[in-house]
Amino acid sequence: ILAQANLAQTIRVSVLFRSSWSVMAAVMDKVMPVVGGLLGLWAASKVLPVMYRWELIPGVGSPAYWERANKINYHHYSEGIVYSPYDTGDPIREMPPECAGKMYLRQKGGGWKLQSEM
């Protein structure tokens, strides 16, 4: 009889824990998406300002970008200024020796060749 009482008590306790686990799982199903969304918003609030300043968002330019873009003068092509991807303030006026003969030219008959191959 004592063994049966212990067994019955064990079954009641396991049913109680099982029901509490299912309640906790149901609550977590509702809470965790909210926690994930809040975490995503926090991360976006830290990352997006940096992406904006560094012009990493396609189609969006920061005020610093537009200020600098308005100062670029593209009419120097006849004066021999080589455009560089890095703006140092003083334009490069001579072609670097490692670039000589590296122009990729389209052929009349189709296809492409380096200037040094012609």
Side-chain angles (χ1 to χ4, degrees):
I1 293 180
L2 187 59
Q4 287 178 342
N6 277 342
L7 181 61
Q9 186 178 3
T10 305
I11 290 173
R12 271 188 246 127
V13 170
S14 69
V15 168
L16 177 66
F17 279 137
R18 194 172 305 140
S19 65
S20 67
W21 280 110
S22 64
V23 168
M24 192 183 322
V27 169
M28 284 295 146
D29 283 346
K30 304 291 185 209
V31 171
M32 289 313 290
V34 173
V35 170
L38 290 174
L39 185 64
L41 283 174
W42 176 81
S45 72
K46 299 297 180 187
V47 171
L48 285 176
V50 174
M51 290 177 68
Y52 179 70
R53 263 179 292 167
W54 292 356
E55 288 99 30
L56 296 176
I57 303 171
V60 178
S62 68
Y65 168 81
W66 291 112
E67 179 183 330
R68 192 68 180 150
N70 289 333
K71 292 180 181 178
I72 296 174
N73 185 358
Y74 291 102
H75 305 294
H76 289 298
Y77 63 90
S78 61
E79 298 172 12
I81 293 178
V82 179
Y83 289 104
S84 171
Y86 303 106
D87 185 8
T88 58
D90 185 32
I92 302 170
R93 298 183 190 280
E94 295 177 9
M95 182 180 293
E98 60 271 8
C99 297
K102 302 288 184 180
M103 192 182 306
Y104 205 46
L105 303 173
R106 185 173 179 161
Q107 304 300 303
K108 287 184 182 179
W112 296 82
K113 281 188 179 178
L114 285 173
Q115 182 182 9
S116 60
E117 295 174 0
M118 295 183 66

